Amino acid sequence: MSGAPARLAQVSGQINSSPKDRILAQNPDDVVVTCALRTAFTKGGRGGFKDTAAADLLVGVFKAVLDKSGIDASKIEDVAVGSVLPPGGGATEFRAAAIAAGIPVTAGVKATNRQCSSGLQACVDIANAINAGMIDIGIGAGVESMTSQYGPGAVTEFSDLLNSVQEAKNCTVPMGLLSENMAKDKKIPRALQDQFAASSYQKAEAAQKAGLFNEEIAPLTVDYEDPKTGEKKKLTVSQDDGVRPGMTAEALGKIRPAFAKDGSIHAGNASQISDGAAAVLLMRRSVAQKLGQKIIGKFVMATIAGVPPLLMGVGPAAAIPKVFEKTGINKDDVDIYEINEAFASQCVYCVQELGLDINKINPKGGAIAFGHPLGCTGARQVSTLLTELRRTNKKIGITSMCVGTGMGMAALWVAEY
Amino acid sequence: MLSFRTTGYNGYAVKYSPFFDSRLACAASSNFGLVGNGRLYILSLTPSGIICEKHFDTQDSLFDVCFSESHSNQLLVASGDGSIKLFDTTVDQFPVLQYKEHTREVFSLSWNLVDKGLFASSSWDGAVKVFNPDANQRASIATLPVGACTYSCAWQPSSPSIISSVASDGLCRIFDLRSPPPGNEIIKTRVSQMEVLTQDWNKYRPELLATAGVDRVVRTWDLRNPAVPVTELQGHGYAVRRVAWSPHWPDVVLSASYDMSVRVWSDGSNGAVGVGAGVGGAPAGQGRLLGVMDRHTEFCAGVDWCLFGGEGWAASTGWDEMVWVWDVGSVMGSR
């Protein structure tokens, strides 16, 4: 841009200065997204990816991103992969996955783990590295094979020292149990949870039928062993398999509570155990423009907040206000909130606590309907958010989730199209 | 108030001559400086109003003007094509010198008040350049890297070598030509979260700098402790395009804004309570608005103080094609 348009942009940039205008402004040093894709999510233990290793899912989604974006893979400088369960953090197999996907050895790879926000943290790490000038182009990703790696082995046994500090010891309380207590504590009745969960299913069903996930899902062909016949075959997985059609709050109301006899949380109003991967290609705007990459969104900023470990579900209610505080925007400026549905109880609580418009929450459903592969979710939300913002001709979105051991994370994105 | 209409040209900067109490210069551009010609007006204050002694036309827009401190008839303009032109009012039509080093719009010029052989320029290309026209050198003698669209550069008024810049990245950088290159940078400090468009050094306190820009706030900074502003002056409704400290009153600063007003502020530094209170009687340590000049009907872009005669005359210009010359005292509510 030069001449009159550049001067006009300069002057208008000086006048449009509300916080919202600042967020929407396009500057050469912005961190932008030029491609965001995910695999389908399939049920842990029995879905289409049950015989596929996490690293293989990652190879699939990396290849899809390279293919769709058309980026010269040798220009990628770093890759961050969020994952929660793999022993050793996954650093070795993720490096190998990047190489297997065709990303040259000249790019770095790291594994990162901030529990359920790992996928988002990976994207934020890459964005911050771009902001700091360390790299120009990177991939933030997330992956989880809960089929193969979910279980008690993921946590080392606590020492006596840790166990001697009550708040520290609380970090080991299982999710279901603490969420049950939190739902009681915060007075979120089961009916409300079931209603929210049913609506997640209904929204996801409608979105799936309308093909709204097609753009964000990269189909993957994998090996699959039929559990009944033992027959091994190739299977192309292109759809989330957790979305149950025709779900209603009444139907969910019949399910027995999972964690306490008089409890309110059950399999139908908590996130599903799933396998999946997602990846987001990030770069500086000036670089994207030079390479002719199509920009689909902009990363604005992210926040992290700690909460008591036993109240980990309130995380988004702590992290999202920090976004408002640091940017000066308010809740009405945001068009869509992708708040991870770890449990209907905590999601409902956060929406109520922040006073958000329920119609802006997870418009295509969430983890209750199609699953929550732990480390993947944060990266998955980016593609879900940006495609929906563009489809509905809207601009500003927040992705957020609660984080095990008591944290919340949130990120602010702007769709560009 | 006296006025002059720069018909067809939108004002970007106005300056008083440091040699003649009746001479003004105004840099203006057609089509709001977006595209088209520029025009430099040499204006004269006469008993019958302001008259145009002369004007010079330029190919591209003009964004700033600066009188030479060493030659009474010479002055510089900053052009949109990246050039800096030195005009002599005794020579017709064409500039006597031209410097073409910046690769984008030159937006500000400053002549050194101590070493009168030096002037500096800043540009959207992200550099501040220092020139020495008297040595008959056509090339800059120093390039100071800013790296962001640099809206203003200003020599510290009592130093031959210290120059400050403010830029679109919200940072103020202070360079000292005596400090070792590369960089020559001695201070880099954030003065706003948003673009900073203007700055001016206080004429009485060598450590005090005022900055302002897109966030609408005029801030003063004691550069011995640049971590926090000394005063924040809030009131403008849109970005502030130019600030200018008074040459007569150490606590008074003018600001011209896109909100079509020029505001008069005291930074509160001269305000012992009661006897000896500063202009307008502002309490010590507390900045306050002293008055508003609201005759402009479009964006105000330039304002400057008269160095001579009765204290407190100022000139302002803006996109309404007007130059106003006015007594600052007349717009102060408390006077």
Side-chain angles (χ1 to χ4, degrees), chain A residues 12 50 119 129 134 142 212-213 283 332 378 413:
Chain A
S12 61
K50 74 179 176 65
M134 184 178 168
L212 302 188
F213 291 118
M283 62 192 76
D332 299 323
W413 308 83

Side-chain angles (χ1 to χ4, degrees), chain B residues 7-25:
Chain B
T7 308
Y9 291 85
N10 310 101
Y12 263 85
V14 63
K15 291 282 170 62
Y16 272 95
S17 162
F19 294 96
F20 306 108
D21 61 359
S22 61
R23 180 175 284 176
L24 286 163

Side-chain angles (χ1 to χ4, degrees), chain A residues 71-82:
Chain A
I71 186 92
D72 173 0
S74 69
K75 294 204 175 335
I76 296 168
E77 289 181 89
D78 201 7
V79 177
V81 183

Side-chain angles (χ1 to χ4, degrees), chain A residues 1-4 6-8 10-11 13-15 17-18 22, chain B residues 33-34 60-61 80 105 149 151 194-195 214 216 239 258 299:
Chain A
M1 202 163 52
S2 65
R7 289 182 192 172
L8 183 60
Q10 204 93 16
V11 173
Q14 293 162 7
I15 297 162
S17 60
S18 77
R22 255 176 291 160
Chain B
L34 298 179
D60 207 330
S61 308
E105 290 80 350
C149 178
Y151 287 113
M194 298 164 79
E195 293 195 318
V214 174
R216 309 167 188 186
Y258 285 156
F299 292 177

Side-chain angles (χ1 to χ4, degrees), chain B residues 202-214:
Chain B
N202 188 279
K203 313 306 176 205
Y204 291 85
R205 284 166 289 164
E207 70 287 353
L208 198 71
L209 186 74
T211 64
V214 174

Side-chain angles (χ1 to χ4, degrees), chain A residues 365-379:
Chain A
I368 290 172
F370 48 76
H372 172 31
L374 310 175
C376 168
T377 291

Side-chain angles (χ1 to χ4, degrees), chain A residues 19 28 73 160 214 278 311 391 417:
Chain A
D160 291 343
N214 295 352
L311 294 178
R391 188 185 74 82
Y417 37 84

Side-chain angles (χ1 to χ4, degrees), chain A residues 277-300:
Chain A
V280 180
L281 180 59
L282 295 145
M283 62 192 76
R284 195 172 298 113
R285 185 186 299 279
S286 55
V287 174
Q289 285 165 340
K290 202 163 76 185
L291 298 178
Q293 286 276 303
K294 185 174 163 20
I295 295 168
I296 60 171
K298 163 181 160 184
F299 168 83
V300 183

